[in-house]
Amino acid sequence: MVTIPLSRPPVDDEIKQAVLAAMDSRQWILGPECKEFETELARYVGVRHCVLSNSATAGLWLTLRALGVKAGDEVLVPSHTAFPTIEAICFADATPVFVDADAFYTMDVADAAARVTPRTVGVIPVHLYGQPVDVPAVRELATKFGLWMLEDCAQAHGAAWQGKKVGAFGRAAVFSFYPSKNLTVMGDGGAVVTDDDEIAARCRRLRDHGRLNKDVHSEVGFNLRFNDIQAAIGRVLLRRLDAMNDRRRELAALYGKGLAGLPLELPRERPGARHVYHLYVVRTPRRAELAAFLKERGIQTGVHYPVPTHRQPAVEHFAPSPLPATERLVDEILTLPISAGHTDAEIDAVATAVRAFFGA
Ligand SMILES: *Cc1c(COP(=O)(O)O)cnc(C)c1O
């Protein structure tokens, strides 16, 4: 019995009406809704191009191909991320070079610098949990070693560093619209954003069978297109994104008050950053006990992620080196419920239950 879910994505009449309206056009694949959503999302992020795709995983793969990644190329990537970030690198024939985590659970840039080799071509920082990475440090790393930067913004729609939105710092960036993410489309979906005309054009081609025009295929791509029904939903929710993120920040502040003074590490916002709390992740060595205690009270929790990507069987053949900070934190992190759809009362109830667990 779950009374407080981890996430509650929006469903309402405005969204349903947008879906019904999108049906009428009979242009359901890359039609007018997709074109508008691309224009609006690019404008929102502050870049020139947006290329919709059917997932962020696909978007990462498209971008890596467009960047010209080839076998033997090494790509720096935090181990502490969702597996798709790694998977896209592998699927593009490149080698993931796993990097340890910093105090904010994002990529430790000093550790990344120590792992650069003559084969390193790029870096994929992940704005994990909705928290921007150390943007100036990653930029400096990319400049110093001549690497491209591809931002994984799957968890960070609307997050910003010094007032500039994430997704506008790298050569390109990728967003996900998976149901629990800050911007959703009632199913799978993703987008590549970039200021680079060539990367945008190549992603557009690759997502549609490498097509130059209706009849000519200049290279082998795949079918990774998006659809108008879901784009219509994305457009409605993009208009609400800032308000939904403000709401997430409000609830995070409520947690901050309710959980203060406990032997529990709370998320911290990096100075200069706007954290959008895709996930609210606390940390305690008593993680399993706390999760069980909350479950008994109908409160859903999660662990993002219990098995670090560098320890996944699928990438064993890369023989990744140990990453002590990542390996420590994965045993202690716990995700508490948060989304724009949660009420103050629900967050208070979770905080009260956590306080009860610690006997406070
Ligand atoms: C969700 C997520 C992805 C994958 O997104 P999909 O749209 O499900 O393919 C990639 N990276 C991170 C960090 C994610 O959280």
Side-chain angles (χ1 to χ4, degrees):
M1 165 218 63
V2 174
T3 55
I4 305 181
L6 254 187
S7 169
R8 186 180 293 119
V11 181
D12 57 43
D13 284 345
E14 190 189 5
I15 298 170
K16 290 177 189 171
Q17 285 309 316
V19 168
L20 291 174
M23 287 180 181
D24 287 333
S25 78
R26 292 193 165 76
Q27 289 179 265
W28 297 310
I29 297 172
L30 300 180
E33 292 292 332
C34 285
K35 290 191 179 72
E36 289 298 324
F37 191 28
E38 286 184 337
T39 303
E40 290 160 1
L41 189 56
R43 191 184 304 136
Y44 178 83
V45 175
V47 297
R48 307 231 315 275
H49 307 284
C50 170
V51 181
L52 291 172
S53 186
N54 53 12
S55 73
T57 312
L60 286 165
W61 176 81
L62 287 168
T63 313
L64 288 167
R65 273 278 180 272
L67 285 163
V69 163
K70 56 186 190 313
D73 286 351
E74 293 179 359
V75 177
L76 299 164
V77 64
S79 167
H80 191 50
T81 181
F83 192 66
T85 318
I86 310 303
E87 199 179 27
I89 299 171
C90 301
F91 211 67
D93 298 322
T95 301
V97 174
F98 298 92
V99 177
D100 215 351
D102 67 11
F104 296 91
Y105 306 118
T106 54
M107 189 174 73
D108 177 339
V109 183
D111 187 56
R115 295 177 192 279
V116 172
T117 78
R119 292 174 161 234
T120 311
V121 295
V123 55
I124 307 187
V126 180
H127 305 294
L128 200 75
Y129 304 156
Q131 168 103 285
V133 293
D134 184 346
V135 171
V138 180
R139 280 171 136 180
E140 197 186 312
L141 171 85
T143 306
K144 182 171 175 194
F145 295 102
L147 314 176
W148 46 254
M149 186 208 306
L150 165 56
E151 295 172 77
D152 183 334
C153 302
Q155 304 190 358
H157 322 64
W161 191 81
Q162 297 215 325
K164 182 169 163 178
K165 296 218 176 65
V166 301
F169 292 102
R171 278 281 289 288
V174 168
F175 290 92
S176 168
F177 309 129
Y178 180 84
S180 65
K181 305 283 163 91
N182 293 39
L183 179 60
T184 64
V185 295
M186 291 190 174
D188 275 313
V192 177
V193 298
T194 182
D195 260 332
D196 186 311
D197 298 348
E198 276 177 35
I199 288 177
R202 188 135 187 242
C203 286
R204 258 178 224 295
R205 218 161 48 227
L206 286 167
R207 81 169 162 185
D208 190 19
H209 308 293
R211 213 177 227 129
L212 261 190
N213 56 46
K214 189 165 154 291
D215 302 312
V216 179
H217 302 264
S218 62
E219 61 184 322
V220 173
F222 211 69
N223 177 356
L224 302 170
R225 296 177 304 226
F226 198 53
N227 68 82
D228 269 41
I229 307 269
Q230 287 183 277
I233 300 166
R235 292 185 66 204
V236 171
L237 293 177
L238 179 59
R239 294 197 285 272
R240 298 185 201 166
L241 178 58
D242 287 339
M244 291 193 296
N245 282 338
D246 285 344
R247 179 66 186 150
R248 285 177 182 266
R249 288 174 57 82
E250 233 170 62
L251 296 179
L254 207 56
Y255 268 138
K257 279 197 207 104
L259 300 175
L262 299 177
L264 184 71
E265 198 176 319
L266 305 183
R268 282 178 304 132
E269 189 170 43
R270 189 189 297 281
R274 174 181 161 84
H275 192 325
V276 291
Y277 295 96
H278 166 58
L279 300 174
Y280 191 89
V281 176
V282 297
R283 187 167 175 180
T284 165
R286 298 176 64 195
R287 191 261 305 282
E289 271 175 273
L290 175 58
F293 184 89
L294 294 175
K295 189 177 177 195
E296 274 168 29
R297 282 150 187 82
I299 298 167
Q300 193 177 35
T301 62
V303 178
H304 300 87
Y305 301 89
V307 182
T309 62
H310 72 286
R311 291 283 203 74
Q312 293 289 351
V315 298
E316 223 172 54
H317 55 289
F318 294 118
S321 46
L323 300 173
T326 300
E327 285 158 31
R328 256 194 324 273
L329 75 89
V330 296
D331 289 332
E332 300 186 346
I333 49 175
L334 185 70
T335 307
L336 300 182
I338 198 165
S339 73
H342 280 85
T343 63
D344 286 13
E346 286 178 313
I347 300 307
D348 283 338
V350 177
T352 302
V354 174
R355 297 191 73 80
F357 172 79
F358 285 106

